[in-house]
Amino acid sequence: MSHKWLQATGLMLLLLGLSGCNQSVDEQIENGLQITETVFAEEPAGHTDKIGDIELYLPSSFKVEDSSDAYNILIAKGKESFILFINDREDTDSKLYYNLLKEDTSKNIIKEHTYEKEGIFGFSAVSKTDNEDEFELIVSSGGVKMTTISQANHIEDNLHEMTKIVHSVKIR
């Protein structure tokens, strides 16, 4: 009897996993933006890396590719590249990057979400690129911003990881 229960549980987990892979782009975007709000509301992840005066959390699958300029850091996850911009002259409630995004008429913003709490302003946004299956993801908090070009099926995961990184940045 327990063998059948184990098979049924395995089948359920497999179906749940496969249904996650089949999310529409709109669901990926909506879920990803919802996750960014949750991560911004949490305590920042513990620091795992230090680049000059900057401490930050990087998930285990992320590696610093180029940190020759400590304020423009190239980070990779497999074949994906992410750019982390740090403006140490901006306060945690800065809306600089958000205002620049809104003023950029070349951006085809599909959806965005802002977060404000206790002197911290953050936002996440998804914009369309020229490639049908790729999207630009932007996550920012104060003077810290991270961007990438993401495949449609990685939007949710990338927004989650990017928000954890951006939220963790501390300048000493």
Side-chain angles (χ1 to χ4, degrees):
M1 183 73 156
S2 67
H3 182 65
K4 287 192 183 268
W5 180 83
L6 198 56
Q7 285 179 329
T9 303
L11 182 60
M12 289 272 291
L13 289 173
L14 178 64
L15 289 174
L16 283 172
L18 289 175
S19 68
C21 295
N22 292 327
Q23 288 183 339
S24 72
V25 171
D26 290 339
E27 289 171 323
Q28 284 266 329
I29 292 169
E30 190 62 41
N31 292 341
L33 294 178
Q34 187 63 41
I35 287 170
T36 63
E37 182 173 1
T38 302
V39 172
F40 275 135
E42 297 171 347
E43 285 294 314
H47 299 131
T48 59
D49 285 79
K50 185 173 181 181
I51 302 166
D53 293 339
I54 299 163
E55 294 178 338
L56 70 154
Y57 164 80
L58 284 181
S60 61
S61 57
F62 283 69
K63 303 291 178 235
V64 174
E65 290 282 304
D66 183 8
S67 62
S68 55
D69 175 356
Y71 296 99
N72 296 295
I73 302 166
L74 182 61
I75 298 171
K77 178 177 91 171
K79 294 180 179 180
E80 294 179 282
S81 293
F82 300 77
I83 302 173
L84 182 65
F85 302 96
I86 300 169
N87 184 339
D88 62 348
R89 296 177 185 196
E90 294 297 318
D91 292 327
T92 58
D93 64 348
S94 172
K95 295 182 181 178
L96 172 71
Y97 289 129
Y98 183 70
N99 292 335
L100 290 172
L101 174 69
K102 298 300 279 181
E103 293 169 5
D104 187 347
T105 57
S106 71
K107 298 285 187 202
N108 183 7
I109 301 169
I110 296 172
K111 194 150 189 167
E112 64 179 82
H113 186 75
T114 60
Y115 174 83
E116 272 184 280
K117 185 177 180 185
E118 299 173 8
I120 296 173
F121 176 80
F123 77 92
S124 50
V126 178
S127 66
K128 191 67 192 102
T129 66
D130 292 335
N131 184 325
E132 185 177 320
D133 295 325
E134 292 182 339
F135 298 83
E136 181 181 15
L137 309 181
I138 305 165
V139 176
S140 179
S141 180
V144 179
K145 177 177 86 167
M146 188 172 213
T147 65
T148 192
I149 302 297
S150 177
Q151 295 295 314
N153 60 338
H154 295 157
I155 291 172
E156 187 175 335
D157 288 338
N158 283 342
L159 282 171
H160 179 235
E161 292 170 322
M162 291 167 66
T163 307
K164 286 186 82 156
I165 293 167
V166 165
H167 190 47
S168 75
V169 171
K170 179 132 181 125
I171 303 167
R172 296 277 174 200

